[in-house]
Structure formats: structure tokens, C-alpha cells
Amino acid sequence: MGSRGTIAYGETRRARLAGPLLAVAVLVVGVAVTLRTVGALHEDQRAAAARVMDQRTAVARAAVTAETGRYRDLMQAVAAGLGTNTHLTARDFAAATAPLDTAGLVGATSVAFLVATPTGDIEETERFWRSRGADGLTLQPRGTPDVHLFSIFQRTLNDSAPADSGLDVAAAPEGAAALLEARRTGRPTVSDAYVLLRDRTVPLVRRQLSFIFVAPVFAAPDADDELPRFQGWVAMGLRGQDFLGGVLGTASQGLLDGELYAIDGGGRRLKVASYDAPGRRDLVRQATFPVADRQWTLLTGADSHRLPGARNGTPATVLLGGTLLTIMLAILVWVLATGRSRARAQVLVATAELRSAEAESRRQAGLLGAIMASLGDGVGVVDENGAFLLHNPAAKALLGVPFDATSPGEWQEHYGIYRPDGRTPFPLAEMPLVRGLRGEVSDGVEMMIRNEQRPDGILLSVDGRPLDPSAGQHGAVAVFHDITALRRYENDLAVFAGVVAHDLKAPLAVIRGHCETAADELADAPESRETAEVGAALRRIMSAVDRMAALIDTLLAYTTSRDAPLKLRAVPLGPLVAEVVAQRTEHLRPGAGPPPDVYVGPLPEVRADPAMLRHVLDNLIGNALKYVPRGRAARIDVTAGPADEGWTRVEVADRGIGIPAEDKPAIFESFHRARTAEGYAGTGLGLAICRRIVERHGGTIGVADNPGGGTRFHFTLPVATAAPAGDEEALDRALAERAEAEAVAQPAVAGTARPPAIRPPCVEAPPAGPGTPAAAGPLAGPPVIRPAVAAATPRRTPGAGPAGTA
């Protein structure tokens, strides 16, 4: 056994070593072959790049040589043409040099006709050439040479800046030497590189080394002369940098770098210009060629990778493909040779990972259990059949039952689940867990739990959700917490608010009564300064009392709008709007100012609490009457239109001071007032109360700008015929049960939601139609009433809606 074990161990070890060694051998051989192949391809590419570089350099040299030869020939042709004219004028020079404008002379600055003038003949020369058409010619001698070389006529090329006529080229030794050499030899010459006189005033960074091409002008010999008579020179300035960039950039198509060198009269080599092409320079060539009587050298360079046809992706492809193929073969050999040992190692790794995952799962399960046990809110989870998968300790403590029911049909009786009234059994179909199994979401469902362990009962708020699909099964989850103390606190707070409101308003009424009595007695007293001051003080006190009383009413309404039970019934909006407008406008006096303009469209019958709905309309219409620019009549439209199925959308539009855009998001918050409302009385609670009331009815409220100016408030309410009879009865029953439960706890505020006294409407209702016209106004004059009848055409304003909105 020991011998067989040793042999088996040795075979296993040899198998483990043979696989990697064979894979390494395949890898080394494959990489070596690939590198040799890539090296051979690179050698071929370098040879091809050298050939392309030679071709490109030859083309560039030919282009520079041809272009300089063309400039020399053009100068010689212009000089020959001028020499045929014995009476040379400015017009003749212009005609002879006109073709140069379209000759495409890259880098050329100007062409000029120059003459030699001794120092003593400057004035005479100036008069002579002015007579030949050189208007405004002023010769500008420089230095004290024996002979000055003046520019007489000039033509600017390539949109260069024109140079002053009369320049003395004798000030530039290079240019003067070229002129004198051309006269001595009678042939075209080119100067050494220097900065042209015309360029010596430009900034240093823009200066270029330049040349001038010179051709002598000889006139035909007179009858007495045997030799041609010398008249002057034709010279053309050539900027080296512009010339090289234009010619080399075109000839090499931007692939070659270039440096232009010139040999001056002293035999020195001078770098005149350079041209840079993209890429690095790894290929360099040099070409020397004659230009007139000088030798120029062109040094070219290029990036071999950018030369067309010189480089391609074959070596990289071969290297990448060969390397990948070699690696794949090596991996295949290694896999085949070490498959068994590798599989065993993978099994060991997988086993370790499984054990680690199992330990992590146990840790996560323990952590989840600890979290659920630590939660103060109850959590319950059921599967698709309604069987409980989880009830945390807080849930069992709240429910008071240690054992779970086996099916949903037993929940109500087993746990003692009732509606908030504590008597009506909670329907199974409305329970949050059952709704969650149907895929519905429910929030804030209130239910009473009363059983043997909870004889007094507790009030729970329950949120239900379908179980997340990541759980791997269908189910539902519910979270519930005890709100008994919260409801008791809210009821106590509502009672306290009612008592405080009553106790605060009583002394205010006494104060106002005393002020009114004092004011009446003061009215019978003789007029004096003291009585006027006392009267003003009494009016201020009564105004402050009225404001405080209004604030108390507003705060009480703010509290009751949230906590007072809803008393829903069918409410016709038309008469209710008429009552609100009547109360808002009954104090207006005829003739005291422009009357308000009111339009009321057809208004439906809605299902709402009349007192709370009246509060909403009173706030919105009152704001439309109050927030109006001084001296302007209020214009109000009250209309209604369809919303979602079973709902109506009511709009109150005005042409008042409006609400800035930055204030709209917070306009329904408590104590928030828009900055445009400064100077107008208000507490900042009216719109907050409106939102609470509308949301308690299940609707929404919002605000927008009114086209043409002002504001448009809108809110939604359920129409009176929207809900089926069964739903209405269930809703009425639930609201009645809640009202009864709350009335037991807060008898002192049971009447806080009672609607205010309703006065007769300010106008007589129309005999037919679903709505009743209402009237409103700012603060003066009786309102102008516009009833909504089918045969009448309502007022239309720019941007108004179909109902004639303001």
C-alpha cells in the first residue's frame, strides 16, 4: 500500500509538472516565431518608408525649384517688358505688373521698380519721376552712400500691407548687393536672406527672413550707343517662412517637415524658414539646388508611420494574432494536461465558498431576526395563501395574541379587528394584507384591536404592500403601529383649541364693547384736539381687537379643518357661491367706487361637507376681492369643468396682483405670504386651510397664472352622483363611526365644524341651469352680476377658457 501510494503520488506530481512545462514550451516557441515574422515585416516597411520618403523629397525639391525658377522668369519677363518702353511711366509699370496679381506667387510681398541716384541728384530724380506718374513720391535717403537705390513704382501682392514709396534699398546691404550684382552681370539675381525694410517695423515675433529677386531693366540702345542703356531694376520681395509653408505644405500634402537654408555671399549657411508637419521625425533627407546665383538647401523630415503606403497594420495584426493564438494553444495544452487536478481544486474552492455562503446566510438571518425583534413597529408577512410567515415580537405585543391564525377568514375573530368605532367588524376585503395579496398598496388604514388581552382596545395605523418579487414567492407585508396616544393627543388638542378660542374671544368682545361705548359717548362731547386723539386711539384699539378675533377664528378653522369629522352630503355649488358673494359684498356702498365684475358659469352639485366647502370658497373669493391694485375693480370668474371620472374641477380666476413664480410652490404652506401681498391684511393660513379641506375630500388644489394677468386657483371635488349607492353607504357609515368615536373624546368641539350663518344670496338665482350667478367686488360699489344662461354669450377675455374665465 505504501509503495502504491508513493507511485501514485509521484505520478500525480509528474502530471502536475508536465502540464505547465509543456504549456511554457508551446508559449516560447509561438512567441519566437511571431516575433521573427513581425521583425521581417517591419524591415519591409522601413524599406518602403525610405522609398516613399525619397519620392516625397524629390517632389518637394522639384516644387521649390520650379517655384523659384518661375519667380526669376517672371521678374526677367517684367524687366524685358519695361525695357521696351523708353518713356516709362507709372501707368506702364502698372500694366506690365498686372498679371502678377493672379500668378499665385506664394510668399511674395510686392514688386517694385528701382533706380540709382547720386546724392546730389535726389531732388531732380524726385521731380522727374513725379512727372512720370509717381504722384506723391518722396525719396527717403538713408545713410551717406555714393549712390542711393530708391523704389519709384510699386505693386503690392497677396494682400500685403503697402510699403512707402521712395524707400532707399541702399540701407539694406543684402538688397543693395543683389541690385549691383544684377547690373554688373545683366542677369537676374537673388539676395542673401535678410529682414525686408518694410518688415522692420512689425513685432519681433512676426518678422521673417526674406529675399528679393532682382532683374535689371535695359532699354534698347540709342542710335549713338552700341550697348543697351541701363534704366533700373525690377525687384520682388519674398518672405521665406510664407514661401516654404505654402509650397512645401501643398507639395507634401502636410506630410513632410521642412527647413530651408541659404548660402550667403560669405559662404555661411543660414536657416531661413521651417515648416512643421504632424508626427515625429524619424526619416530625414537633404537636397541642394541653385536659385539664380545662389545655392539653397532643403532639409526634409517625416514620420514614417504617416507616409501613405509606407506603414500598415500588418505587423501589429500578426503580432496580436500570433500572440493570441500562442496563448490559446498554451492554455489548451495546460487545460488538457492539468484538467483533473484543476477540477479537484475547483471542487475544493466551490465547497469552501458554499460553506462561507452558508455561514453568511446564517449571519444575515440572525441579523434580520435581531432587527425584527428590535423594531418598535409591528411587522407581519403572509404567503400567497394568507398563512403568516413572520410576526415580529412588537406585532404580537400590539395584537395581544401569542398564536397566529391559520387562514385569513379567522383574522377578524382571532385578533379582534374592528373599525375605529370599536364595534363594527373590519371587512376582510379591506384589510391591508388582503389588499396587498391583490397587488394593491394601502397607507394609514386605521383599525381597532380589542380582544381578551386588549379589553380596552388600541387604535392601529396599518400600511400594506405586495411582497417584493426578489423574495421568490408571492405574498404581502404589513407594518402597523399604535396611534392610540396620538389620537388622544389630537382630540385633547382640538378640545383645548376650542376652549382657548372661546376664552380668548370673550375678553375681546368685552374690550370692543367698552370701546364702542366710549366712542358713542365721545361723539356727544365737544370737538377738540383731545377728543380727536382719544377717538383715534379707540379706533386703533377696535381695529386691533378685530384683527385678533379674525386670527383666533383662522387658527380655530386651521385646527378643525384637519380634525373635525366630515359631514358629507350633496351640495349645489351655485347657491353656495351666491351666499359667499352676498356676505362678501353686502357692506359695499353704491357709488363708492368701481363695482366688481363677476362671472359665474354653470356649477354642478358635489358631494362635500357644506361648512368646510363654504370656507374654501370664502377664502378664494375673498382673496380675489382683496388682492386687487388700488383703485381698480375686481374681475372674478367662477367656473367648473370635468376632471377624472366622477370628479369636477372648480376654478376661481381673478385679475388681481398675481403671485410670483418663486412663491407658488410654498403658497399653500402655513403662515406663508407672497411678497406681492405686502400692504394687504392677512395671516398666511387661509390657503393652508383650503388645502387641508380639499385633501380631506380626496381632491387636489393648485394655482397658476391667469392669461392676461392675475391668478387662477383650481381644486377638484367628487360629483354628487359619482359614487355607487353601496360605496356611499359604506363611506357614510365609516365617517359616522369615526365621528361618534371622536365625539366621545372631544364633546367641547363637537360643533366646531358647524357652518356659519347663511344670509340670502346677493342676487336672485336664475330660473333654470345647473349654476347660480354670484357677485363679488373689491371694497366699493355693488357688484356687476353676470348669470350663466344657455342663450347668453359670456364675457370673453384674452386667454380666457371656454367658460369665460377672467
Side-chain angles (χ1 to χ4, degrees), residues 66 167 184 245 254 277 322 381 386 524 547 617 626 641:
L167 289 178
R184 183 182 68 81
V381 183
D524 299 331
R547 288 197 302 271
L617 294 170
K626 178 170 62 174

Side-chain angles (χ1 to χ4, degrees), residues 408-638:
E410 302 174 1
W411 288 353
Q412 192 279 325
E413 183 177 357
H414 181 74
Y415 297 109
I417 306 175
Y418 298 90
R419 289 191 180 275
D421 61 1
R423 296 188 301 273
T424 306
F426 204 99
L428 178 63
E430 298 181 20
M431 291 187 179
L433 280 174
V434 176
R435 294 177 60 186
L437 290 175
R438 296 199 302 263
E440 301 176 8
V441 174
S442 54
D443 292 317
V445 177
E446 296 184 6
M447 53 178 58
M448 178 73 73
I449 302 297
R450 193 176 68 244
N451 48 46
E452 293 181 359
Q453 288 74 22
R454 295 286 189 183
D456 296 332
I458 63 171
L459 188 63
L460 299 182
S461 175
V462 186
D463 299 335
R465 297 284 189 280
L467 193 61
D468 191 273
S470 61
Q473 69 178 90
H474 182 64
V477 59
V479 178
F480 42 93
H481 54 276
D482 187 359
I483 61 171
T484 307
L486 176 63
R487 285 291 178 264
R488 186 179 298 113
Y489 172 77
E490 290 177 350
N491 294 336
D492 292 344
L493 183 62
V495 172
F496 174 76
V499 172
V500 169
H502 179 272
D503 291 346
L504 287 178
K505 293 184 70 173
L508 290 178
V510 173
I511 294 173
R512 182 173 180 82
H514 286 302
C515 290
E516 290 176 351
T517 301
D520 293 339
E521 293 178 356
L522 194 65
D524 299 331
E527 294 185 2
S528 65
R529 180 179 179 181
E530 288 76 8
T531 56
E533 291 177 353
V534 172
L538 290 175
R539 287 191 295 273
R540 287 195 297 270
I541 293 173
M542 288 188 289
S543 176
V545 168
D546 292 340
R547 288 197 302 271
M548 189 170 183
L551 179 59
I552 293 172
D553 290 338
T554 303
L555 290 173
L556 185 59
Y558 182 73
T559 302
T560 57
S561 66
R562 181 187 64 183
D563 300 323
L566 292 176
K567 299 178 181 179
L568 299 178
R569 63 179 178 84
V571 181
L573 278 178
L576 185 59
V577 170
E579 291 177 9
V580 171
V581 175
Q583 185 180 14
R584 282 288 182 175
T585 59
E586 63 183 355
H587 65 284
L588 303 181
R589 295 171 305 184
D597 185 2
V598 179
Y599 172 85
V600 178
L603 300 177
E605 190 176 65
V606 298
R607 183 168 182 79
D609 185 308
M612 291 192 177
L613 180 57
R614 189 184 193 286
H615 198 101
V616 173
L617 294 170
D618 183 71
N619 262 290
L620 297 182
I621 294 175
N623 287 347
L625 291 168
K626 178 170 62 174
Y627 294 108
V628 178
R630 307 300 182 188
R632 185 184 301 176
R635 296 174 61 184
I636 307 171
D637 283 2
V638 183

Side-chain angles (χ1 to χ4, degrees), residues 220-534:
D222 293 336
D224 298 335
D225 297 331
E226 296 180 359
L227 297 176
R229 180 169 50 86
F230 177 75
Q231 286 188 314
W233 299 271
V234 176
M236 181 180 67
L238 181 68
R239 294 191 176 104
Q241 186 68 40
D242 294 343
F243 171 77
L244 182 63
V247 175
L248 188 59
T250 302
S252 70
Q253 299 177 349
L255 297 176
L256 297 182
D257 291 340
E259 294 179 358
L260 183 63
Y261 294 88
I263 306 299
D264 62 11
R268 293 172 300 178
R269 184 179 181 184
L270 179 64
K271 181 179 178 180
V272 178
S274 63
Y275 174 78
D276 293 329
R280 60 187 180 88
R281 181 186 296 185
D282 58 353
L283 295 175
V284 179
R285 297 291 186 272
Q286 179 175 309
T288 302
F289 49 92
V291 177
D293 58 339
R294 294 284 189 271
Q295 288 290 327
W296 286 7
T297 300
L298 179 63
L299 185 67
T300 58
D303 185 349
S304 60
H305 293 82
R306 300 180 65 86
L307 293 177
R311 294 283 184 178
N312 55 51
T314 304
T317 304
V318 171
L319 178 61
L320 180 61
T323 302
L324 291 177
L325 182 60
T326 301
I327 293 173
M328 291 174 62
L329 288 175
I331 293 174
L332 181 61
V333 170
W334 178 79
V335 169
L336 293 176
T338 61
R340 182 176 179 181
S341 59
R342 186 170 56 86
R344 183 176 181 181
Q346 289 179 347
V347 169
L348 293 176
V349 171
T351 303
E353 291 178 351
L354 181 60
R355 291 174 179 172
S356 176
E358 183 180 358
E360 179 64 19
S361 297
R362 286 196 299 268
R363 190 186 71 82
Q364 292 288 348
L367 177 61
L368 178 60
I371 293 174
M372 297 302 293
S374 303
L375 286 177
D377 289 344
V379 179
V381 183
V382 298
D383 61 12
E384 64 274 11
N385 299 318
F388 276 100
L389 302 175
L390 172 68
H391 249 160
N392 70 336
K396 294 181 178 181
L398 290 173
L399 296 175
V401 180
F403 304 103
D404 293 328
T406 57
S407 65
E410 302 174 1
W411 288 353
Q412 192 279 325
E413 183 177 357
H414 181 74
Y415 297 109
I417 306 175
Y418 298 90
R419 289 191 180 275
D421 61 1
R423 296 188 301 273
T424 306
F426 204 99
L428 178 63
E430 298 181 20
M431 291 187 179
L433 280 174
V434 176
R435 294 177 60 186
L437 290 175
R438 296 199 302 263
E440 301 176 8
V441 174
S442 54
D443 292 317
V445 177
E446 296 184 6
M447 53 178 58
M448 178 73 73
I449 302 297
R450 193 176 68 244
N451 48 46
E452 293 181 359
Q453 288 74 22
R454 295 286 189 183
D456 296 332
I458 63 171
L459 188 63
L460 299 182
S461 175
V462 186
D463 299 335
R465 297 284 189 280
L467 193 61
D468 191 273
S470 61
Q473 69 178 90
H474 182 64
V477 59
V479 178
F480 42 93
H481 54 276
D482 187 359
I483 61 171
T484 307
L486 176 63
R487 285 291 178 264
R488 186 179 298 113
Y489 172 77
E490 290 177 350
N491 294 336
D492 292 344
L493 183 62
V495 172
F496 174 76
V499 172
V500 169
H502 179 272
D503 291 346
L504 287 178
K505 293 184 70 173
L508 290 178
V510 173
I511 294 173
R512 182 173 180 82
H514 286 302
C515 290
E516 290 176 351
T517 301
D520 293 339
E521 293 178 356
L522 194 65
D524 299 331
E527 294 185 2
S528 65
R529 180 179 179 181
E530 288 76 8
T531 56
E533 291 177 353
V534 172

